[in-house]
Amino acid sequence: MQFERLAIADIILVKPTRHPDRRGYFSESFRLDKFQQIVGKAVTFVQENHLYSPAPNTIRGFHYQAAPRPQGKLLKVMRGSILDFALDIRRGSSTYGQYAQAMLSVENGHQLWMPAGFAHAYMTLEPETHVLNKLTDIYHPETEGIIAWDDPDVAAPWPDMGVTPITSDNDMHGTALRDFVSPFVMAN
């Protein structure tokens, strides 16, 4: 298993090693001791969600969950592929308002870790895409927030698939980054 820090050092791309043979392959997709060593702190996952998108060009996000129930997330694609983004929304961070991105697919087996203090979004690149995410706290709707996925100040490079992306009603009304007062403060 390899770990790669992305453009924002707290965002980690997890690359499980695959061991192929004539039956297919074996891959250790998660190991707590190695994960916590690279993250640098104890992490406990308490909820796992399965997200399904039948169509490509579906966008979810930029979502976050604030105190008192902030969430760290570890994402993995089980079918299809996504372009995944972690947006730094920690006040005082040198990378505030910037994002790290990665392409996750069933073919590459990569996973993306983002601690609390990041807003998360992704676009499906293929039909019938299934995503699993492990969370460090359970979902609490009263602490959820959304940054506009199409905010020009964020300028996420969403692929142009020639049609308007599919989004939820909530995602169509996200807050602009310039109007956002972050509940997260960069830890020293």
Side-chain angles (χ1 to χ4, degrees):
M1 187 174 295
Q2 298 176 353
F3 299 91
E4 177 184 332
R5 294 191 182 275
L6 297 184
I8 300 171
D10 291 329
I11 306 303
I12 299 169
L13 189 64
V14 181
K15 299 177 175 181
T17 303
R18 291 181 174 172
H19 305 280
D21 66 22
R22 66 178 172 265
R23 300 167 295 174
Y25 66 80
F26 165 82
S27 179
E28 183 178 82
S29 61
F30 181 78
R31 202 168 120 182
L32 186 61
D33 60 336
K34 289 182 179 181
F35 183 77
Q36 289 183 354
Q37 181 180 10
I38 196 72
V39 170
K41 65 179 182 178
V43 175
T44 302
F45 294 111
V46 298
Q47 181 175 330
E48 182 174 87
N49 298 332
H50 179 180
L51 298 99
Y52 165 67
S53 299
N57 200 34
T58 299
I59 292 179
R60 296 177 186 258
F62 283 97
H63 296 213
Y64 64 89
Q65 189 167 298
R69 307 305 293 256
Q71 292 176 326
K73 298 179 179 182
L74 179 64
L75 279 93
K76 175 181 184 176
V77 171
M78 298 303 294
R79 182 175 179 180
S81 61
I82 63 173
L83 182 58
D84 203 357
F85 294 92
L87 174 66
D88 190 346
I89 55 172
R90 301 168 298 173
R91 286 183 285 134
S93 169
S94 63
T95 55
Y96 180 85
Q98 297 176 30
Y99 58 83
Q101 72 182 66
M103 204 277 280
L104 308 181
S105 69
V106 71
E107 283 80 23
N108 68 24
H110 295 172
Q111 301 171 49
L112 192 67
W113 162 251
M114 65 198 74
F118 288 82
H120 174 246
Y122 69 82
M123 174 188 267
T124 59
L125 303 174
E126 297 179 50
E128 303 298 320
T129 295
H130 293 259
V131 176
L132 287 180
N133 67 8
K134 296 179 186 304
L135 306 169
T136 60
D137 205 336
I138 61 174
Y139 175 64
H140 285 86
E142 65 277 6
T143 65
E144 182 181 26
I146 302 171
I147 305 294
W149 66 270
D150 58 350
D151 187 323
D153 290 334
V154 175
W158 301 107
D160 183 356
M161 295 191 165
V163 294
T164 302
I166 300 165
T167 62
S168 71
D169 290 341
N170 285 345
D171 286 344
M172 293 188 61
H173 298 95
T175 302
L177 189 62
R178 69 178 54 174
D179 299 329
F180 176 62
V181 178
S182 181
F184 298 97
V185 178
M186 181 70 180
N188 293 329

